[in-house]
Amino acid sequence: MDVHLRDLRYFVAIAEELSFTRAAERLFISQPALSKQLKQLEELLRVRLVIRDRRTVALTEAGRALLPRARDLLQAWDETQRTVSDAAAAEASVLTVGLSTSVGRGLLADLRAGFAERRPTWTVRIRQVNWDDPTAGLAEGEVDVAFVWLPIPRQEAFTFQVVAEEPRWVAVRDDHPLAGRETVAFDELLDEPFLALPEEAGPLRDFWLGLDERGGRPARIGATVANADETFAALEDGSGVVLMASGNAAIYRRPGITAIPVTGLSPSRLALAWRTGDHRSAIRDLLSALLPDPRPRTPSPATP
């Protein structure tokens, strides 16, 4: 039986982290599942690759011998996938842009116009993705680039460029006691029920609940929402209040809903993101259409 690349990827994560906990978090799987896959790989190869006790994880001689070759195989496969994707994209002449909210701010128009100048025979396709995937389709390979709100899970897997940095506002019903205010301090919102992104959104859910600024106080969740339509339906029925970027407050104006600037919060950041290592020329042209001198960054998972 041939070894699965997935098992090699799991082994490399364990070998690089020397911690089943960190490796499982990096791979977004449970520790029991990770242990099971390692055991399956060891049984298939008929060697022990990892020595593990309560405190430490170490590689055996066989594990140390396998590590560089596993890396080479995974890199070769990643390059193969990019080559195939590049050929498929060139044949289809389509690049797909993911987004979870209306980005406004003239960004999509500038992107389309700039890319059309560089590749007049190509098409930019927009794919709307719900908030249970905060990468807007990037993580699953459904899109080529995406507009995302930071922070997102697995940020180390993506490269991004911030295209808008804006203060956070709060949206409330017109009959809410705060509706007539010019500004509101975040401390005044701590006891309010909040509309929350799905749990799958991870750090992005926490960001829009303002968890870093709550001083350890938990957020009250009035409802969980997966997209803008659900958000405004929940606002209108009084399920809670919701934080949003000031630019989106302008985009999503609704009768009966008021948006108010909030003090005491860090700004929100909208970014254009793509998979780290995706060097297709069409991707470069799409990025340069919006970011003539992008100077991209690959953030760490701890980036706020």
Side-chain angles (χ1 to χ4, degrees):
M1 183 183 298
D2 293 333
V3 171
H4 293 291
L5 287 173
R6 178 192 60 192
D7 295 338
L8 291 179
R9 202 175 300 278
Y10 288 0
F11 165 71
V12 168
I14 295 168
E16 291 178 347
E17 299 292 344
L18 291 179
S19 164
F20 277 72
T21 299
R22 291 194 299 271
E25 290 173 351
R26 168 173 157 181
L27 296 165
F28 289 87
I29 63 172
S30 67
Q31 289 187 53
L34 182 60
S35 298
K36 179 180 178 181
Q37 293 302 134
L38 175 65
K39 182 179 179 181
Q40 179 175 301
L41 178 61
E42 290 178 326
E43 289 176 350
L44 185 62
L45 295 176
R46 298 179 183 177
V47 295
R48 191 173 184 185
L49 299 171
V50 173
I51 301 172
R52 177 188 189 185
D53 59 31
R54 291 184 178 181
R55 294 185 177 181
T56 62
V57 174
L59 297 182
T60 64
E61 278 298 322
R64 286 192 289 272
L66 175 61
L67 180 56
R69 290 161 178 78
R71 285 173 172 153
D72 290 344
L73 286 169
L74 292 172
Q75 182 179 354
W77 176 243
D78 289 343
E79 290 173 356
T80 299
Q81 286 183 305
R82 283 195 293 272
T83 300
V84 172
S85 296
D86 210 5
E91 183 178 25
S93 297
V94 173
L95 281 181
T96 304
V97 178
L99 49 91
S100 297
T101 59
S102 178
V103 295
R105 304 162 181 86
L107 293 172
L108 280 179
D110 291 345
L111 189 90
R112 289 181 185 275
F115 189 65
E117 290 180 2
R118 292 162 175 78
R119 297 198 177 229
T121 63
W122 283 57
T123 300
V124 173
R125 179 183 298 154
I126 304 301
R127 181 179 178 85
Q128 192 82 30
V129 181
N130 277 347
W131 293 334
D132 54 2
D133 178 5
T135 72
L138 270 182
E140 298 300 323
E142 298 172 352
V143 303
D144 300 294
V145 301
F147 286 98
V148 300
W149 291 99
L150 301 176
I152 58 176
R154 293 182 58 202
Q155 280 196 175
E156 73 280 359
F158 310 108
T159 304
F160 75 97
Q161 176 64 35
V162 174
V163 296
E165 184 169 294
E166 301 169 346
R168 282 182 274 181
W169 289 25
V170 64
V172 301
R173 280 199 336 189
D174 281 350
D175 58 359
H176 192 281
L178 297 172
R181 297 274 293 276
E182 291 187 3
T183 62
V184 59
F186 185 61
D187 287 349
E188 299 177 78
L189 299 172
L190 294 180
D191 294 326
E192 294 283 341
F194 269 69
L195 306 183
L197 273 60
E199 292 186 1
E200 293 90 338
L204 188 60
R205 170 187 166 104
D206 296 345
F207 178 81
W208 290 115
L209 292 173
L211 287 194
D212 285 347
E213 289 86 359
R214 287 180 175 270
R217 295 176 62 176
R220 290 180 58 201
I221 307 301
T224 298
V225 291
N227 51 54
D229 289 339
E230 290 186 10
T231 298
F232 286 100
L235 277 171
E236 290 165 356
D237 69 21
S239 294
V241 302
V242 67
L243 294 176
M244 60 174 59
S246 60
N248 279 21
I251 295 169
Y252 288 117
R253 285 194 179 97
R254 295 287 194 282
I257 303 296
T258 297
I260 312 163
V262 180
T263 61
L265 287 175
S266 59
S268 62
R269 297 185 299 161
L270 178 66
L272 190 62
W274 58 100
R275 284 177 290 278
T276 298
D278 191 341
H279 302 303
R280 287 177 287 163
S281 58
I283 293 288
R284 291 197 300 271
D285 286 346
L286 186 73
L287 298 173
S288 62
L290 187 62
L291 310 167
D293 182 22
R295 292 184 296 171
R297 293 192 298 137
T298 303
S300 69
T303 300

